[in-house]
Amino acid sequence: MHSSQNNPAIYFKDYFSYVELAQDAAVLQKLIRCYRTIFSEDDTWCEDYSEQEVNQKLHAELRGNCALRLCLTPLDVVGFCWVQHLNVNAIYQHISTIKYFRDNDTQEFDLRCALKNKIDRSATYIHDLGIAKAYRTTIALDQLIVPVLQYSFEPVSYTHLTLPTNREV
């Protein structure tokens, strides 16, 4: 059992748009700092993002049918997971920007075809997931990931118009 399940100093908070997140400027800044710290770790990602780049990423990816779950302590953001419901082409575009994907030989692998074979029209895509190094044995992944995947993002059709359904909480 992870101690986040019994540790009152660790709690979770969900957001459903960049606008909602930006209303809490202090949390937004802490999230940006946490993201930059995690992805700049020498032994894991070695990626360097500016505050502006992370903010732009959040702005672009926390729109439409999306959900963000933060893991917090009273002083800081220590984990995050955000998802967005996307069509196959949008998922392909996001995957193709991943450094690992770009740096490896993908000639033998047709990602777009593979996605279309596995995904009917759309799916919930996990954009980013991270936990601060000091909390990796403390935070239960199911508490960070599963809740954002459980929100209903399936479209509802009304004649020729497709609208997102309300999220179930």
Side-chain angles (χ1 to χ4, degrees), residues 49-160:
Y49 296 101
S50 69
E51 286 184 32
Q52 182 179 4
E53 287 173 314
V54 177
N55 194 45
Q56 288 171 341
K57 180 175 180 55
L58 288 163
H59 190 266
E61 296 173 0
L62 291 177
R63 63 171 56 186
N65 291 323
C66 65
L68 162 68
R69 176 160 260 227
L70 297 179
C71 181
L72 303 110
T73 66
L75 299 175
D76 222 342
V77 171
V78 295
F80 54 84
C81 179
W82 70 84
V83 302
Q84 188 177 25
H85 198 77
L86 300 170
N87 66 38
V88 172
N89 289 330
I91 292 170
Y92 172 80
Q93 290 171 348
H94 282 285
I95 292 173
S96 65
T97 66
I98 297 170
K99 185 179 182 331
Y100 175 83
F101 182 79
R102 288 191 326 259
D103 291 350
N104 288 284
D105 183 17
T106 58
Q107 299 295 328
E108 298 175 27
F109 178 66
D110 184 350
L111 176 62
R112 191 181 307 263
C113 183
L115 288 170
K116 287 182 178 181
N117 285 335
K118 297 293 181 184
I119 300 171
D120 184 29
R121 290 178 303 194
S122 60
T124 300
Y125 176 74
I126 298 176
H127 280 291
D128 274 304
L129 163 68
I131 299 172
K133 193 177 272 191
Y135 291 87
R136 290 186 186 153
T137 59
T138 307
I139 297 170
L141 282 177
D142 63 328
Q143 290 183 301
L144 189 59
I145 299 171
V146 173
V148 292
L149 293 175
Q150 289 178 332
Y151 291 108
S152 174
F153 296 124
E154 291 302 315
V156 175
S157 286
Y158 296 102
T159 61
H160 301 300

Side-chain angles (χ1 to χ4, degrees), residues 14-18 20 62-64 66-68 151 153 167 169:
D14 298 343
Y15 296 88
F16 300 98
S17 71
Y18 177 83
E20 182 184 2
L62 291 177
R63 63 171 56 186
C66 65
L68 162 68
Y151 291 108
F153 296 124
R167 292 180 183 89
V169 181

